[in-house]
Amino acid sequence: MTLAPLLTVPLAALLSAGLIVLLKPLLQRYALARPNARSSHRVPTPQGGGIAIIAAALITAAVLAVPTGIALGGVELPVLALSVIALAVVGAVDDIRPLSASLRLVIQAGAVAAVVLTVEGRLLPDAPLWLERSFAILAGLWFVNLVNFMDGLDWMTLAEFGPPTAFLFALGLAGRYAPEPTLVAGALLGGLLGFAPFNRPVARLFMGDVGSLPIGLIVAWLLFRLAGQGGLEGGLAAALILPLYPIADATLTLLWRLRRGEAVWQAHRSHYYQVATVNGFSVRETVGWVFALQVALAALAGVTLLWPSRAVTLVCLVLAAGLVGWLLRRFATPRAASA
């Protein structure tokens, strides 16, 4: 193994932290998030730190692509990069001057479709390609938005996607994941780690839509590439297990809001992780539980890949669902009642 892959995470982390230091005065002036009834913060706080995360990830991946042995003749990585940049631009504008929900959705759908239509691998080889790609576009569009919805507490996005990206990067270093997504996973992990000191509770900087939307697209692409490695036991189960907590929290919250007749496109504070802070959990406790769960889910995903049998896969899926359900129930229960 060359030294280049091992430089991915530290290089991206240093770039991310350095860019934040440079950009923070501008963000403080032009991208200040003021508290409102749906906010988790109490004082005006600059947002837009995601600019540094995404820029660091893209720059690191571009610089290290050739040294890590990745050929640049294909269209998949350039399309991914352009789509990520498009979502970052939309998010940056929306952070400063909110855009209409319909315009955001159209641009997001275009970015997701571009990535899905150029990605390598198949999710469901026995299904018609048009059906698989249509499903993937809808799933990707929901995933981009749910990552945005789940970025509502300090360190939350790091807790949710730090363990999965670390797992995928380690998987690639072990030769069990393609070089392209391995590099991207390491670059994104480094970008998140560089942002972490500025976002620790109580945060001095928020990520903003400029970070959460493109992070959702990148992670969706990473999971698609993992799922395409060969059926349920070859990667699909692992790709389902890794993001199970944010998917469950966001999806169940959406269903409950639809059932109550609420306007689901409006901001709110009814996600399970947000309810947890009302029910007596501190921000650090909440993100700590999510981080611990994500580590456990990464371990279960690893088991499905190390012992690729139908029985082991089903057991891991059941255990993953049980762990996620347990934490959601714990967050939804007032602390005094759960003690």
Side-chain angles (χ1 to χ4, degrees):
M1 179 188 298
T2 64
L3 183 62
L6 300 178
L7 296 176
T8 306
V9 175
L11 177 58
L14 288 173
L15 281 173
S16 179
L19 286 170
I20 287 172
V21 171
L22 291 175
L23 292 172
K24 194 175 178 184
L26 289 175
L27 299 176
Q28 182 78 41
R29 182 173 180 180
Y30 296 108
L32 205 60
R34 301 187 182 279
N36 56 49
R38 295 180 292 271
S39 302
S40 297
H41 62 292
R42 298 180 179 179
V43 297
T45 304
Q47 61 184 344
I51 296 173
I53 299 172
I54 300 306
L58 292 176
I59 293 170
T60 299
V63 169
L64 295 182
V66 173
T68 53
I70 295 173
L72 298 180
V75 299
E76 185 176 8
L77 287 181
V79 168
L80 175 65
L82 290 174
S83 299
V84 163
I85 292 170
L87 289 190
V89 170
V90 170
V93 174
D94 198 48
D95 284 335
I96 299 172
R97 185 176 182 179
L99 301 171
S100 68
S102 58
L103 177 59
R104 293 198 309 267
L105 194 63
V106 168
I107 297 174
Q108 291 166 8
V112 171
V115 171
V116 168
L117 294 177
T118 56
V119 70
E120 294 183 9
R122 293 289 305 273
L123 293 177
L124 304 168
D126 296 329
L129 181 61
W130 69 266
L131 182 61
E132 176 195 280
R133 295 309 198 207
S134 298
F135 169 77
I137 290 171
L138 290 175
L141 184 59
W142 172 232
F143 196 84
V144 166
N145 280 280
L146 76 84
V147 172
N148 183 33
F149 299 155
M150 295 296 291
D151 181 41
L153 283 183
D154 306 337
W155 267 354
M156 179 55 75
T157 299
L158 177 65
E160 290 171 332
F161 298 111
T165 52
F167 170 80
L168 293 173
F169 184 61
L171 191 67
L173 293 182
R176 302 289 297 273
Y177 196 38
E180 295 86 350
T182 298
L183 175 63
V184 173
L188 179 57
L189 174 62
L192 288 169
L193 292 175
F195 171 72
F198 304 91
N199 188 239
R200 73 169 185 258
V202 173
R204 295 172 289 154
L205 179 66
F206 296 150
M207 180 183 299
D209 289 3
V210 66
S212 60
L213 294 175
I215 286 174
L217 182 60
I218 294 171
V219 175
W221 176 77
L222 293 173
L223 294 171
F224 190 108
R225 290 297 303 264
L226 178 64
Q229 290 191 170
L232 185 64
E233 294 86 14
L236 180 57
L240 292 172
I241 290 171
L242 285 171
L244 192 56
Y245 171 75
I247 288 175
D249 190 323
T251 303
L252 290 174
T253 299
L254 175 68
L255 293 176
W256 278 112
R257 296 189 71 211
L258 284 171
R259 184 178 178 181
R260 293 193 295 264
E262 298 180 14
V264 296
W265 56 88
Q266 293 180 354
H268 61 94
R269 295 199 68 240
S270 52
H271 284 286
Y272 285 86
Y273 74 91
Q274 293 170 320
V275 171
T277 61
V278 177
N279 285 338
F281 292 83
S282 70
V283 171
R284 287 179 180 267
E285 286 174 325
T286 303
V287 297
W289 276 111
V290 171
F291 179 82
L293 174 62
Q294 291 297 91
V295 171
L297 293 180
L300 289 173
V303 170
T304 67
L305 296 174
L306 288 174
W307 291 280
S309 74
R310 185 61 57 92
V312 170
T313 296
L314 291 177
V315 168
C316 289
L317 286 169
V318 170
L319 286 174
L323 287 172
V324 171
W326 172 82
L327 185 60
L328 292 177
R329 183 178 178 84
R330 184 175 175 83
F331 282 170
T333 305
R335 196 64 179 272
S338 66

